[in-house]
mmCIF file of all heavy atoms in Angstrom:
data_model
loop_
_atom_site.group_PDB
_atom_site.id
_atom_site.type_symbol
_atom_site.label_atom_id
_atom_site.label_comp_id
_atom_site.label_asym_id
_atom_site.label_seq_id
_atom_site.Cartn_x
_atom_site.Cartn_y
_atom_site.Cartn_z
ATOM 1 N N SER A 326 26.057 19.398 9.007
ATOM 2 C CA SER A 326 26.588 18.968 7.719
ATOM 3 C C SER A 326 26.805 17.456 7.715
ATOM 4 O O SER A 326 26.695 16.801 6.695
ATOM 5 C CB SER A 326 27.880 19.713 7.375
ATOM 6 O OG SER A 326 28.816 19.505 8.391
ATOM 7 N N ALA A 327 27.074 16.915 8.932
ATOM 8 C CA ALA A 327 27.214 15.464 9.023
ATOM 9 C C ALA A 327 25.893 14.787 8.697
ATOM 10 O O ALA A 327 25.828 13.782 8.016
ATOM 11 C CB ALA A 327 27.674 15.069 10.426
ATOM 12 N N CYS A 328 24.803 15.395 9.173
ATOM 13 C CA CYS A 328 23.480 14.855 8.897
ATOM 14 C C CYS A 328 23.183 14.904 7.410
ATOM 15 O O CYS A 328 22.637 13.979 6.849
ATOM 16 C CB CYS A 328 22.399 15.661 9.634
ATOM 17 S SG CYS A 328 22.229 15.187 11.334
ATOM 18 N N GLN A 329 23.535 16.013 6.807
ATOM 19 C CA GLN A 329 23.268 16.175 5.387
ATOM 20 C C GLN A 329 23.982 15.109 4.571
ATOM 21 O O GLN A 329 23.402 14.510 3.686
ATOM 22 C CB GLN A 329 23.740 17.553 4.920
ATOM 23 C CG GLN A 329 22.621 18.571 4.997
ATOM 24 C CD GLN A 329 23.094 19.948 4.634
ATOM 25 O OE1 GLN A 329 24.297 20.219 4.681
ATOM 26 N NE2 GLN A 329 22.180 20.806 4.283
ATOM 27 N N SER A 330 25.239 14.870 4.901
ATOM 28 C CA SER A 330 25.971 13.867 4.125
ATOM 29 C C SER A 330 25.379 12.485 4.393
ATOM 30 O O SER A 330 25.443 11.604 3.561
ATOM 31 C CB SER A 330 27.466 13.907 4.461
ATOM 32 O OG SER A 330 27.668 13.453 5.774
ATOM 33 N N GLY A 331 24.730 12.314 5.595
ATOM 34 C CA GLY A 331 24.088 11.050 5.922
ATOM 35 C C GLY A 331 22.937 10.748 4.983
ATOM 36 O O GLY A 331 22.774 9.641 4.510
ATOM 37 N N SER A 332 22.119 11.791 4.657
ATOM 38 C CA SER A 332 20.966 11.553 3.798
ATOM 39 C C SER A 332 21.390 11.314 2.348
ATOM 40 O O SER A 332 20.607 10.880 1.537
ATOM 41 C CB SER A 332 20.003 12.731 3.884
ATOM 42 O OG SER A 332 20.595 13.849 3.263
ATOM 43 N N ASP A 333 22.624 11.614 2.043
ATOM 44 C CA ASP A 333 23.139 11.381 0.699
ATOM 45 C C ASP A 333 23.735 9.983 0.568
ATOM 46 O O ASP A 333 24.222 9.607 -0.483
ATOM 47 C CB ASP A 333 24.221 12.413 0.378
ATOM 48 C CG ASP A 333 23.709 13.408 -0.648
ATOM 49 O OD1 ASP A 333 22.481 13.532 -0.742
ATOM 50 O OD2 ASP A 333 24.525 14.029 -1.328
ATOM 51 N N ASN A 334 23.682 9.233 1.660
ATOM 52 C CA ASN A 334 24.291 7.912 1.670
ATOM 53 C C ASN A 334 23.676 7.000 0.628
ATOM 54 O O ASN A 334 22.553 7.187 0.220
ATOM 55 C CB ASN A 334 24.090 7.272 3.048
ATOM 56 C CG ASN A 334 25.276 7.536 3.936
ATOM 57 O OD1 ASN A 334 26.299 8.040 3.468
ATOM 58 N ND2 ASN A 334 25.140 7.210 5.199
ATOM 59 N N LYS A 335 24.463 6.015 0.229
ATOM 60 C CA LYS A 335 23.940 5.046 -0.724
ATOM 61 C C LYS A 335 23.083 4.016 -0.006
ATOM 62 O O LYS A 335 23.256 3.778 1.185
ATOM 63 C CB LYS A 335 25.116 4.350 -1.402
ATOM 64 C CG LYS A 335 25.862 5.278 -2.326
ATOM 65 C CD LYS A 335 26.991 4.541 -3.004
ATOM 66 C CE LYS A 335 27.631 5.425 -4.045
ATOM 67 N NZ LYS A 335 28.749 4.758 -4.709
ATOM 68 N N LEU A 336 22.184 3.419 -0.740
ATOM 69 C CA LEU A 336 21.370 2.355 -0.165
ATOM 70 C C LEU A 336 22.256 1.128 0.047
ATOM 71 O O LEU A 336 23.199 0.906 -0.698
ATOM 72 C CB LEU A 336 20.224 1.987 -1.119
ATOM 73 C CG LEU A 336 19.237 3.083 -1.501
ATOM 74 C CD1 LEU A 336 18.194 2.522 -2.444
ATOM 75 C CD2 LEU A 336 18.575 3.679 -0.279
ATOM 76 N N PRO A 337 21.945 0.317 1.048
ATOM 77 C CA PRO A 337 22.722 -0.906 1.255
ATOM 78 C C PRO A 337 22.473 -1.904 0.120
ATOM 79 O O PRO A 337 21.482 -1.817 -0.595
ATOM 80 C CB PRO A 337 22.169 -1.445 2.569
ATOM 81 C CG PRO A 337 20.782 -0.882 2.662
ATOM 82 C CD PRO A 337 20.846 0.455 2.002
#
Side-chain angles (χ1 to χ4, degrees):
Chain A
S326 57
C328 279
Q329 268 176 340
S330 69
S332 69
D333 251 22
N334 266 351
K335 290 182 173 179
L336 301 180

